[in-house]
Amino acid sequence: MNHRTEEAKKAAKPLTPKINELIERSKSIILATLDAEETPNSSYAPFVYIDKTFYILVSFMAKHTRNLADGRKTSVMLIEDESATKQIYARERLTFEASASQIERDSEIWNHVIPLLKQAHGKVIEVIAEMKDFILIGLNPMKGSYVNGFGSAYFVNEDLEVLEHRNDQNHQAK
């Protein structure tokens, strides 16, 4: 590949629809949270994505829920299924920092989101939505990155739109 071709490929940004396709293919998100002592905790939660917000219905029995409810730092990742990837080192993924906000039970947003969670994840939502320890949390992206292969990593903004190539240097051999 000549230098111009490499530069053109590096400058080309993936279309935001590719990010939207990853979101549509995903049923759950991976969460990384910090507790009061800044001990990391990782978990996952099924979600629905509505108007640029990821909504999760999670139990206060889970450590990550308490961390989210306390407004601690949060990182979210969506990643291509291992069985669908051609190269394990180059799985398509979207990672972003997020602000978390608890949605009041029976609020307008709650009443809008819960049926959509049920539609996406089944009747179990009816049961857990009635349990008092389950709360609805909205995760709003702040900034992050999108990777769709080797040398194809990009910064994204709060709208999950591609901003620029993430690395101004190619991978270097020893």
Side-chain angles (χ1 to χ4, degrees):
M1 187 178 299
N2 70 36
H3 185 277
R4 285 181 191 253
T5 306
E6 283 184 30
E7 288 301 313
K9 184 177 180 183
K10 194 165 136 179
K13 296 178 183 178
L15 300 174
T16 300
K18 288 209 41 108
I19 293 172
N20 292 336
E21 289 169 14
L22 177 61
I23 293 169
E24 288 172 12
R25 287 192 315 267
S26 301
K27 292 184 179 188
S28 63
I29 55 177
I30 298 169
L31 300 164
T33 62
L34 294 174
D35 67 15
E37 291 77 38
E38 295 192 352
T39 303
N41 176 255
S42 60
S43 191
Y44 83 99
F47 75 94
V48 290
Y49 183 62
I50 306 164
D51 297 329
K52 301 180 183 180
T53 301
F54 292 82
Y55 291 97
I56 58 175
L57 186 62
V58 287
S59 170
F60 247 102
M61 292 182 179
K63 191 174 185 179
H64 65 267
T65 302
R66 292 187 303 274
N67 296 342
L68 290 166
D70 288 343
R72 302 227 187 326
K73 289 183 178 180
T74 303
S75 179
V76 175
M77 181 169 72
L78 288 88
I79 189 164
E80 177 183 34
D81 189 302
E82 285 183 8
S83 65
T85 192
K86 294 177 184 160
Q87 174 46 256
I88 197 70
Y89 278 98
R91 287 167 71 186
E92 181 184 15
R93 59 199 174 273
L94 172 66
T95 307
F96 56 88
E97 295 172 27
S99 63
S101 57
Q102 187 172 336
I103 308 303
E104 291 299 317
R105 188 174 288 271
D106 295 322
S107 67
E108 185 178 332
I109 295 173
W110 173 283
N111 291 330
H112 177 69
V113 172
I114 294 299
L116 296 173
L117 275 164
K118 180 184 171 195
Q119 182 180 338
H121 302 294
K123 286 189 170 200
V124 68
I125 298 300
E126 284 179 16
V127 175
I128 64 176
E130 293 300 317
M131 295 178 180
K132 297 300 180 198
D133 63 300
F134 273 82
I135 63 172
L136 184 63
I137 293 181
L139 297 167
N140 295 97
M142 294 168 28
K143 63 181 179 178
S145 65
Y146 171 69
V147 176
N148 66 349
F150 287 116
S152 186
Y154 302 86
F155 289 112
V156 297
N157 65 14
E158 66 276 0
D159 294 326
L160 303 179
E161 296 170 336
V162 172
L163 296 175
E164 63 185 332
H165 196 268
R166 200 172 99 185
N167 188 356
D168 60 357
Q169 298 178 2
N170 291 325
H171 292 286
Q172 304 285 320
K174 289 201 302 184

